[in-house]
Amino acid sequence: MSRLRQLRPRRWLGQAAFLVFLLSVPAWAPNRFWINVASQALIFAIFAMSLDLLIGYAGMPSFGHAAFYAAGAYGGALWALHLSSALLPLLAVGLMAGASLALVGALALRARGIYFLMLTLAFAQVVWSVLSNNQLANVLGGDIGLISVPRPVLPFAADVSLFRPANFYFLTLTVAIIVYLALAAVVASPFGHTLEGIRENEGRMESLGYPTFRYRLAAFIIAGALAGLAGMLGGSFNFSATPATAFWTTSGLAMIAVIMGGSRSLVGPAAGAIVVVLLQLGLSSLPARGLAERWQLLLGVVFIAFVLFLPGGLYGLLRRRAA
Amino acid sequence: MAKSSDAFLGLGLDDALTRRQVLQAGLAGAATIGLAACGQAEPTGGGATGPDFKVGAVLPSSKVYAELGTSITNGMKLYFDKVGNKAGGRKIVLLLEDEEATPDVALAKTRKLVEQDNVDMIAGYVASPDAVGARDYLDQNAMPTLIANAGANVLSRAKKSPYIYRASFSNWQPSHPMGAYVAENITKKVTLLYANYAAGSEAAGAFKETFTGTILAEVKPPLNNQDYSTYISQIRASKPEAIYFFLSGTDANNFFTQAKQVDLFANIKVTGAGFGVEQDVTQAIGDKSPVGAITGLHWAYTLDNKENKDFTTAYKSRYGRLADVFAMQGYDTARVIAEALNAVKGKTDDKPAFLKAIAAVKFKSPRGDFRFDSATNNVVNPIYIRELVKDPSLGYVNKVKTTIASVADPGQ
């Protein structure tokens, strides 16, 4: 007991230090490239945290999470291109787009485990093929996607340009922190505990009277909405929404981030996402051409090393150290 | 460079950061997981006076377009080496990044080259979605850019940028003259076969603009297709006298190999856009090549001019294989950079003057006369109507039948 108490202030201290670290990125980043990398990493972190709700807490190994990211990216892009680029409605559009598509994708909820994984994968590939279909090019841009997506405009401070890397970074950081706090509240709530119960033993939860399907559906929709939010940010970060974002490789990278970071911890997958973005950039830019071409292979080796030697992921490593 | 782009975006503060970075790049970058140093420029060699002129090349070295990326890279290096990697008194340094054929990755690499490596210019892009995806970023950062392949029409039309020039082609160019040529000289009954992606449908659209006969069917296999049997039966069922195809790379390999196995071309003529019967394909499939195919393209291996002979000979002796159209595009891209640098005597700080110099570049290219169209910033191409033949010494290559001079993208 006393040991726990001693740990708490340290944890707070760690969190505060981490927050200061995040806030100060634009101050010490050597150039705007690294500020942009930080934004990219945070967007991917939001995406990975939303996936962690499914994989880590609800025990639903979704391999099609990219579909919801793409829904947010396309929804946000269409909204910004045709209606308005005001920030708050755009954030809502990202959430709504992800949530609505999750409602469609919920047919995968009938299955569990590996079957759920395959169904979500198939669902996302269908979304990808619709997005890249040139017959719908007038609306969705075909395989080129939607381009010239404007950056959002802040409410009450329209003159603070989100084209500036640092400003956009603070926007993604704010959203990432809100998403983290929201997800942390969800997993700590009775709802979150029920999800964990369903993960451990669905039959038992059912016999206790929990409508488990509804719980799983709610988790799926929350995760989809937050993935859509990440997608909307990613779309305005890249000024475009492209079909490739819905491809299974995007889902795969997010899954790697969750596992490498340590699932069922939120911060773990966020850290994993940052590592994946850095590895992707670093490994694919290696000076040795032969190696750079095989960055996926190197990422795979790193991933296997994590699975073998750090089964709890980065978060597990931190926990072991703290204990 | 960074300075003017920041001014463009109204980003005064970042200036301080970009200047400081010179000192911090090694230190802080390395601290950030030790990746900052990756892909840095090689140290300067002697000879040139001004600072290095850094060209950031975003080209695929992995995935489906790796072959094309290699050809373009080889072509660029061949020309830069030819001029001693110097132009306008500045040493030219080429920084390569893998495009991968994924728009978000290509954009991230572009960002790295612009913001981390402080390149003076961007060149490359094989896949259209990658070029189009990077377009807004390049335009906003006022970054002089030369596209070395990606043919999306939109880059010369609604989304043309004063900073982006294209030294390769627009998808419209090779196929537009072919419609009229096929209708007048071959047949009026044609079935279209094209990979179902932007380049394929743009090529088919350009063909239809001038084709006065009947299109019997449009067969659209997906990009990166393996099994063409259903598409071959669709072609047969439409009973055409000729097909007009747009396939390239491994798609063309697979289709022609499988078509040969069932003798599809016994009484159907082959016409198309020339990419699918370039050396990369014909050398891979050998006697499965559709001999007699009539295709349109802005180059042919056998073009009889001095520049082309010099280019193809030098390419063969350095890389041990036949040049293809992509290598030629890389070669010309490098030449545009060198010629523009010479024109401004290496003074690229005056960006409008440098862009003007790029626009004004004219030279004798292996493809014929090279110049940009000021209305579209796209290259004006001669289009060669070629026939695939088996040459006793070269193997399967294209011989020019007719030349259509100065084909310029309509710009809308």
Side-chain angles (χ1 to χ4, degrees):
Chain A
M1 205 49 198
S2 65
R3 204 192 152 108
L4 253 179
R5 261 191 214 127
Q6 273 174 352
L7 274 173
R8 262 198 197 135
R10 263 180 64 187
R11 206 176 148 193
W12 272 105
L13 216 64
Q15 281 177 349
F18 190 59
L19 189 64
V20 169
F21 166 82
L22 286 174
L23 282 169
S24 65
V25 165
W28 52 259
N31 53 40
R32 63 198 168 107
F33 172 67
W34 289 101
I35 303 176
N36 281 330
V37 169
S39 301
Q40 204 183 335
L42 282 180
I43 292 168
F44 201 52
I46 298 172
F47 184 46
M49 285 192 292
S50 74
L51 183 59
D52 191 28
L53 178 68
L54 292 182
I55 294 183
Y57 293 90
M60 297 154 67
S62 168
F63 202 175
H65 215 46
F68 311 116
Y69 182 93
Y74 273 82
L78 287 169
W79 186 275
L81 283 168
H82 300 298
L83 292 165
S84 122
S85 50
L87 176 66
L88 295 178
L90 265 178
L91 293 172
V93 166
L95 286 165
M96 288 302 295
S100 323
L101 191 66
L103 212 53
V104 180
L107 56 95
L109 291 173
R110 301 194 149 272
R112 305 209 167 30
I114 188 83
Y115 303 102
F116 176 76
L117 186 144
M118 296 309 289
L119 273 180
T120 47
L121 170 63
F123 173 71
Q125 288 300 93
V126 169
V127 170
W128 170 77
S129 68
V130 168
L131 292 177
S132 44
N133 188 337
N134 281 315
Q135 255 125 30
L136 303 171
N138 290 337
V139 190
L140 299 173
D143 59 346
I144 280 179
L146 298 168
I147 58 166
S148 301
V149 177
R151 287 256 164 109
V153 178
L154 287 173
F156 313 119
D159 52 332
V160 178
S161 166
L162 289 177
F163 282 100
R164 270 205 54 183
N167 292 347
F168 193 83
Y169 171 77
F170 285 123
L171 169 69
T172 53
L173 180 59
T174 311
V175 176
I177 290 172
I178 293 172
V179 167
Y180 168 72
L181 292 175
L183 278 173
V186 165
V187 300
S189 71
F191 171 76
H193 292 161
T194 310
L195 283 183
E196 299 212 48
I198 293 172
R199 183 194 65 222
E200 291 304 321
N201 193 335
E202 188 173 351
R204 191 173 205 177
M205 293 302 281
E206 219 162 358
S207 62
L208 282 172
Y210 285 96
T212 56
F213 180 82
R214 280 190 218 165
Y215 275 90
R216 292 168 69 238
L217 178 64
F220 199 64
I221 289 174
I222 294 171
L226 294 175
L229 186 65
M232 177 262 134
L233 286 173
S236 51
F237 176 70
N238 284 334
F239 312 107
S240 65
T242 57
T245 49
F247 203 56
W248 69 268
T249 46
T250 312
S251 304
L253 277 182
M255 221 172 198
I256 289 178
V258 169
I259 296 166
M260 263 177 30
S263 64
R264 208 171 78 84
S265 65
L266 297 181
V267 283
I274 294 168
V275 171
V276 165
V277 166
L278 291 173
L279 283 178
Q280 187 181 11
L281 269 170
L283 293 181
S284 61
S285 299
L286 284 179
R289 267 318 242 181
L291 272 183
E293 283 161 24
R294 289 170 187 81
W295 74 267
Q296 285 99 336
L297 180 75
L298 291 176
L299 179 65
V301 171
V302 173
F303 178 60
I304 291 170
F306 263 87
V307 172
L308 286 180
F309 303 112
L310 282 175
L314 290 171
Y315 185 73
L317 181 74
L318 271 178
R319 281 255 297 243
R320 255 195 297 182
R321 281 240 163 140
Chain B
M1 191 66 50
K3 207 170 171 184
S4 50
S5 65
D6 286 346
F8 182 83
L9 295 172
L11 323 176
L13 256 175
D14 280 349
D15 260 4
L17 288 176
T18 21
R19 238 172 262 137
R20 240 190 291 156
Q21 92 182 35
V22 182
L23 296 169
Q24 292 185 344
L27 226 140
T32 324
I33 220 160
L35 296 170
C38 301
Q40 291 281 19
E42 285 158 33
T44 320
T49 48
D52 288 358
F53 185 81
K54 291 196 228 169
V55 179
V58 184
L59 288 165
S61 55
S62 61
K63 301 200 180 167
V64 289
Y65 295 122
E67 242 350 79
L68 281 62
T70 309
S71 285
I72 294 174
T73 311
N74 287 347
M76 287 182 82
K77 283 186 175 157
L78 188 66
Y79 188 80
F80 282 143
D81 286 351
K82 188 180 162 191
V83 295
N85 290 298
K86 261 179 296 187
R90 292 178 71 174
K91 182 178 155 61
I92 297 171
V93 180
L94 192 60
L95 300 177
L96 293 164
E97 286 288 345
D98 186 2
E99 171 185 338
E100 274 189 28
T102 313
D104 289 359
V105 175
L107 179 57
K109 300 305 177 59
T110 308
R111 279 200 167 100
K112 175 183 177 288
L113 288 165
V114 172
E115 298 168 2
Q116 166 82 5
D117 301 326
N118 290 310
V119 295
D120 299 283
M121 184 158 191
I122 291 282
Y125 303 111
V126 162
S128 285
D130 299 346
V132 178
R135 181 261 170 214
D136 291 314
Y137 175 79
L138 293 163
D139 185 71
Q140 281 156 8
N141 283 279
M143 175 55 59
T145 302
L146 270 182
I147 292 173
N149 187 66
N153 290 340
V154 71
L155 290 168
S156 301
R157 302 183 184 182
K159 291 293 171 191
K160 106 179 163 179
S161 155
Y163 307 102
I164 303 175
Y165 285 77
R166 178 155 55 192
S168 47
F169 58 90
S170 78
N171 288 328
W172 183 90
Q173 283 175 304
S175 288
H176 186 260
M178 283 300 288
Y181 184 87
V182 171
E184 281 157 31
N185 300 293
I186 299 173
T187 171
K188 302 226 183 230
K189 289 182 180 169
V190 168
T191 287
L192 299 179
L193 166 73
Y194 55 92
N196 195 8
Y197 72 125
S201 48
E202 287 183 354
F207 178 85
K208 284 191 265 186
E209 282 178 28
T210 59
F211 182 68
T212 50
T214 320
I215 306 278
L216 299 167
E218 295 194 28
V219 180
K220 296 181 268 191
L223 191 64
N224 298 322
N225 190 42
Q226 305 291 328
D227 180 4
Y228 281 89
S229 51
T230 54
Y231 305 103
I232 287 172
S233 6
Q234 283 178 39
I235 293 171
R236 276 235 165 95
S238 67
K239 299 201 171 61
E241 289 181 359
I243 59 160
Y244 185 84
F245 77 92
F246 184 101
L247 298 172
S248 56
T250 50
D251 280 346
N253 294 357
N254 292 335
F255 171 68
F256 288 125
T257 308
Q258 291 165 31
K260 188 85 177 180
Q261 282 160 2
V262 298
D263 209 16
L264 177 67
F265 303 132
N267 38 29
I268 297 176
K269 284 212 164 231
V270 180
T271 68
F275 303 102
V277 286
E278 272 298 292
Q279 281 59 253
D280 60 323
V281 174
T282 56
Q283 291 189 353
I285 61 177
D287 63 1
K288 306 282 192 314
S289 300
V291 172
I294 305 290
T295 57
L297 200 64
H298 47 286
W299 182 73
Y301 188 85
T302 54
L303 267 186
D304 191 14
N305 65 53
K306 183 183 172 299
E307 289 73 25
N308 193 41
K309 276 182 192 146
D310 290 351
F311 163 66
T312 49
T313 316
Y315 195 92
K316 180 91 201 290
S317 72
R318 172 152 173 189
Y319 301 110
R321 57 178 178 170
L322 301 188
D324 50 32
V325 68
F326 309 108
M328 185 281 291
Q329 289 166 189
Y331 190 75
D332 276 1
T333 300
R335 178 145 185 196
V336 171
I337 295 169
E339 298 274 350
L341 271 178
N342 282 331
V344 296
K345 300 192 172 59
K347 293 192 183 67
T348 51
D349 287 345
D350 183 353
K351 201 180 287 182
F354 182 53
L355 288 163
K356 244 186 181 163
I358 293 175
V361 165
K362 278 191 181 75
F363 57 88
K364 292 270 180 209
S365 146
R367 73 178 93 175
D369 288 320
F370 185 104
R371 70 182 168 88
F372 288 111
D373 177 0
S374 58
T376 59
N377 292 351
N378 186 41
V379 59
V380 178
N381 274 329
I383 295 298
Y384 300 100
I385 297 190
R386 320 149 335 145
E387 180 173 8
L388 185 67
V389 296
K390 187 179 184 187
D391 183 281
S393 59
L394 293 168
Y396 296 92
V397 287
N398 291 286
K399 286 241 152 69
V400 176
K401 284 172 78 81
T402 315
T403 305
I404 293 145
S406 308
V407 176
D409 191 273
Q412 50 187 313

